[in-house]
Amino acid sequence: MTAPPDDCLARNEWICGAYLSTRRQILLDAVLQHLQLTFLSVLIGLVIAVPLAVLARRWGWAAGPVLGLTTILYTIPSLAMFSLLLPLYGLSATLVVAGLVLYSLTLPVRNLLAGLRAVPAETRQAARGLGYGPVRLLLTVEMPLALPAAMAGLRIATVSAVSLVTVGAIVGFGGLGNLIYSGMNTYFKAQVLTASVLCVVIAVAADLLLLGVQWLATPWVRARRGA
């Protein structure tokens, strides 16, 4: 009877320290690409979502079309989305970022709009009575009060983006998804498990980071809870 090999890579085990030590640079490159794609897509999505939510709040008639369009984009399957964008961006990282940006619009727009609508009318009236113009009112009164709702949407959008980046593996730009995809094709257990766990770690870390930012940026919420 042949003795089993001593190397966990040769035995193709799910948990293998040798995989971590021998593929360290590969894992690091995949994590960095994953973080870059996630950060760019969420950032660009946020830059687009904030003006859309503000315009929808300012002009009520625009709320329906804005929410309807972003919701439709969110319901398109990821593979179909990338296929639709393929003629524009080709097989590139830009294709993945563009698709994720479209997915990142729905929740921030919806939550920020809900937060802006929830600002009490008397608060707005008091600010106007103190001489606040529309821009100052928006930036110093409405946006801060809408921040908790907006951050909730941003957190969900960010975690979703971390997950959806892996789909970019179909065009070769999926961060850790590249390792998951190739590992599944070759049934490389350690690679599939390690890359999957790292995706979960990134998602949890991003959510906790944004939660911390929200906690620091909303001292009045902490004071109210303490009271």
Side-chain angles (χ1 to χ4, degrees):
M1 182 177 179
T2 304
D6 294 331
D7 189 352
C8 60
L9 286 174
R11 294 194 300 269
N12 194 26
E13 295 179 351
W14 287 104
I15 300 176
C16 181
Y19 175 79
L20 295 175
S21 59
T22 58
R23 269 74 169 183
R24 186 176 305 167
Q25 190 59 48
I26 294 176
L27 288 170
L28 179 60
D29 292 342
V31 168
L32 290 177
Q33 185 183 77
H34 207 106
L35 291 174
Q36 182 182 35
L37 292 171
T38 301
F39 177 77
L40 286 175
S41 61
V42 173
L43 178 61
I44 297 172
L46 186 62
V47 169
I48 298 173
V50 171
L52 286 177
V54 172
L55 290 175
R57 175 67 183 89
R58 189 71 60 185
W59 297 300
W61 60 266
V66 168
L67 293 176
L69 177 60
T70 55
T71 300
I72 290 173
L73 291 173
Y74 193 75
T75 60
I76 299 176
S78 54
L79 291 178
M81 178 71 80
F82 290 156
S83 298
L84 292 173
L85 296 174
L86 187 60
L88 294 175
Y89 300 106
L91 299 175
S92 65
T94 306
L95 169 67
V96 179
V97 172
L100 294 178
V101 166
L102 297 178
Y103 281 121
S104 299
L105 292 177
T106 305
L107 293 171
V109 169
R110 187 176 297 274
N111 282 44
L112 179 55
L113 179 57
L116 291 173
R117 285 174 170 174
V119 176
E122 56 270 22
T123 301
R124 293 192 179 93
Q125 292 172 0
R128 293 190 186 100
L130 293 173
Y132 282 45
V135 176
R136 188 182 178 191
L137 175 64
L138 173 67
L139 296 179
T140 62
V141 177
E142 294 179 320
M143 291 294 286
L145 292 177
L147 188 59
M151 288 299 295
L154 179 61
R155 287 169 56 195
I156 298 174
T158 301
V159 172
S160 298
V162 172
S163 169
L164 289 171
V165 165
T166 58
V167 183
I170 61 173
V171 295
F173 295 93
L176 291 164
N178 293 338
L179 299 182
I180 296 174
Y181 182 73
S182 62
M184 291 180 66
N185 283 338
T186 58
Y187 201 57
F188 192 173
K189 296 179 180 178
Q191 180 164 296
V192 173
L193 181 61
T194 302
S196 300
V197 169
L198 286 174
C199 283
V200 174
V201 170
I202 291 174
V204 173
D207 187 54
L208 292 176
L209 177 62
L210 291 174
L211 184 62
V213 171
Q214 178 181 342
W215 185 82
L216 292 174
T218 55
W220 60 90
V221 175
R222 301 199 304 271
R224 186 167 63 245
R225 289 177 179 174

